[in-house]
Amino acid sequence: DAMLSPLLVKLTHPFPDAQQAALPFELAALEAILTSVLDSYVQSLDRIAKRTEQNIAALKATVNPTVISELYQLKRELDEIIDMVKALEGALDDIQQDDPTMARMYLTALEDPDAQSRLDRGEYRTEEVEGLLDAFA
C-alpha cells in the first residue's frame, strides 16, 4: 500500500536525529502517522495539479466536453482532499483542547504508578504532545 510502506520505514527507524530521539515511541509513531497522512495529501494534490494543467492545455486547443468533465471530476477530488484536511485539523484542535487526552498519549508513562496518580490528580504533562500537534494543525 502506498501509504503503509513509508509509514513502516518511519516506524522502524523513528529517530533520525537526536531531537526526535527524546520523544517517547508513541509520540514518534503519532508523528510518523501524521507525516504519512500529510505526504499522501500532498501527493494527491500534485497529481490533481498535473492533470489539471494537462486538461487546461487541452482546453486551449479546443473546447471538449470530455475535458470539461475531467476538470469537474478533479474539482470534486480536490474538494474531498480539502474536506479531509479540515477534518484532520479539527480533530487535532479538539485534542489540543483536552489536556487529559493529551496526557494519556504518553502510553509508556502510564505504566508508572506515579504518572497515573498525577493524572488522577489532574496534573498533566502535555508540552511535547502540544508541540507535535501544533506542527500539524
Side-chain angles (χ1 to χ4, degrees):
D1 187 34
M3 187 183 258
L4 288 179
S5 295
L7 176 59
L8 289 174
V9 169
K10 290 173 187 166
L11 289 176
T12 7
H13 307 304
F15 306 118
D17 62 38
Q19 181 182 8
Q20 286 181 314
L23 283 178
F25 176 78
E26 58 270 18
L27 297 185
L30 176 60
E31 181 179 37
I33 291 166
L34 290 171
T35 300
S36 294
V37 168
L38 292 179
D39 287 348
S40 173
Y41 291 157
V42 168
Q43 289 172 2
S44 294
L45 291 173
D46 288 345
R47 181 185 48 77
I48 289 171
K50 184 177 181 178
R51 287 174 47 205
T52 300
E53 288 173 6
Q54 292 168 346
N55 281 294
I56 289 174
L59 270 180
K60 288 179 181 177
T62 181
V63 175
N64 181 332
T66 305
V67 173
I68 293 172
S69 178
E70 170 75 9
L71 285 170
Y72 179 70
Q73 175 62 32
L74 290 169
K75 183 205 176 298
R76 288 194 315 224
E77 289 177 30
L78 182 60
D79 288 343
E80 287 176 22
I81 292 171
I82 290 170
D83 289 344
M84 288 187 291
V85 169
K86 286 180 181 177
L88 177 60
E89 182 181 34
L92 293 177
D93 286 342
D94 289 347
I95 291 168
Q96 287 182 292
Q97 303 305 315
D98 188 352
D99 284 347
T101 297
M102 285 193 296
R104 285 184 178 83
M105 293 174 115
Y106 292 93
L107 300 176
T108 51
L110 293 178
E111 294 175 358
D112 175 12
D114 291 334
Q116 187 60 51
S117 66
R118 283 191 301 274
L119 281 176
D120 294 341
R121 291 190 308 266
E123 298 172 9
Y124 306 117
R125 176 181 155 218
T126 62
E127 299 81 20
E128 289 172 314
V129 174
E130 284 183 79
L132 176 63
L133 296 177
D134 278 341
F136 289 93

